[in-house]
Amino acid sequence: MNDIVKEKPSFLPFPLKDFTAYSASISSTVQVIGKGAYGSVYIASHNNQLVALKKINKSKDGFSKSVIREIMILQRLNHKNIVNLIDINSPKDKDFIFMIFEFCDHDLRGLLESNVTFTLPQIKYYLYSVLSAIAYCHEHDIIHRDIKAANILINNNGSVKLADFGLARYKNIHQQYTNHVVTLRYRAPELLLGSINYTNAI
């Protein structure tokens, strides 16, 4: 699995459903809730439940390796503290796909910036949940490489989900990696010192 993609393919190595048919069950797109280099994230209703639609744009060379890795890694993971990828769909004759995720009400960064006060039991629970997700990733030889408050999602029911596996990689002790990963203020000492032979310890 370490060599999932060696080139930038114009195809995806997994089946896609036609979003034209699928969209009949997706309605009431409410708003854009996030934007990035990949595209936008929307909130929508699916089978009377809220979902997040992550729109992934296709470049002239096809979909990037990081997009394909993210999808394949998320398809492999199944943990209560990792955001659930429900489906992947492609609108007919369009140069983008939708990754359809379970919807989460908040991210930790937003809550912290809103000056929400957490109790000590909440802090312990959030930390335990994140560490459980990371431990599960490491058990499956996956390095997340972007642990930060914005990628820790929290629902109103208290559940905690680790999200955004766009920088995630499979661990390979014989492979060198870029050290330009993780938002700077969260970056591990190994990365700051330029290591390209790091492990999941980061």
Side-chain angles (χ1 to χ4, degrees), residues 59-72:
S59 71
K60 62 180 181 179
D61 298 318
F63 294 100
S64 70
K65 291 186 287 186
S66 62
V67 168
I68 296 172
R69 281 197 202 101
E70 179 178 16
I71 293 174
M72 296 188 77

Side-chain angles (χ1 to χ4, degrees), residues 135-178:
Y136 178 83
C137 290
H138 291 179
E139 288 169 7
H140 290 76
D141 295 322
I142 291 166
I143 312 174
H144 187 280
R145 303 203 307 176
D146 201 16
I147 303 293
K148 59 183 180 181
N151 291 337
I152 298 170
L153 309 182
I154 300 174
N155 280 324
N156 287 336
N157 63 8
S159 61
V160 180
K161 308 280 183 175
L162 181 61
D164 199 344
F165 283 72
L167 292 178
R169 293 292 299 269
Y170 288 94
K171 187 177 78 171
N172 184 342
I173 59 174
H174 303 296
Q175 185 171 341
Q176 294 181 331
Y177 303 102
T178 177

Side-chain angles (χ1 to χ4, degrees), residues 25-39:
S25 63
I26 294 234
S27 59
S28 305
T29 300
V30 180
Q31 60 183 352
V32 176
I33 56 176
K35 288 188 176 182
Y38 52 81

Side-chain angles (χ1 to χ4, degrees), residues 33-57:
I33 56 176
K35 288 188 176 182
Y38 52 81
S40 301
V41 179
Y42 303 86
I43 181 175
S45 174
H46 173 47
N47 293 337
N48 296 319
Q49 289 189 323
L50 292 179
V51 293
L53 305 178
K54 185 175 181 180
K55 180 182 174 183
I56 306 293
N57 295 319

Side-chain angles (χ1 to χ4, degrees), residues 103-111 150 152-156:
F103 175 74
C104 296
D105 300 285
H106 311 281
D107 65 69
L108 183 57
R109 177 182 175 180
L111 291 176
I152 298 170
L153 309 182
I154 300 174
N155 280 324
N156 287 336

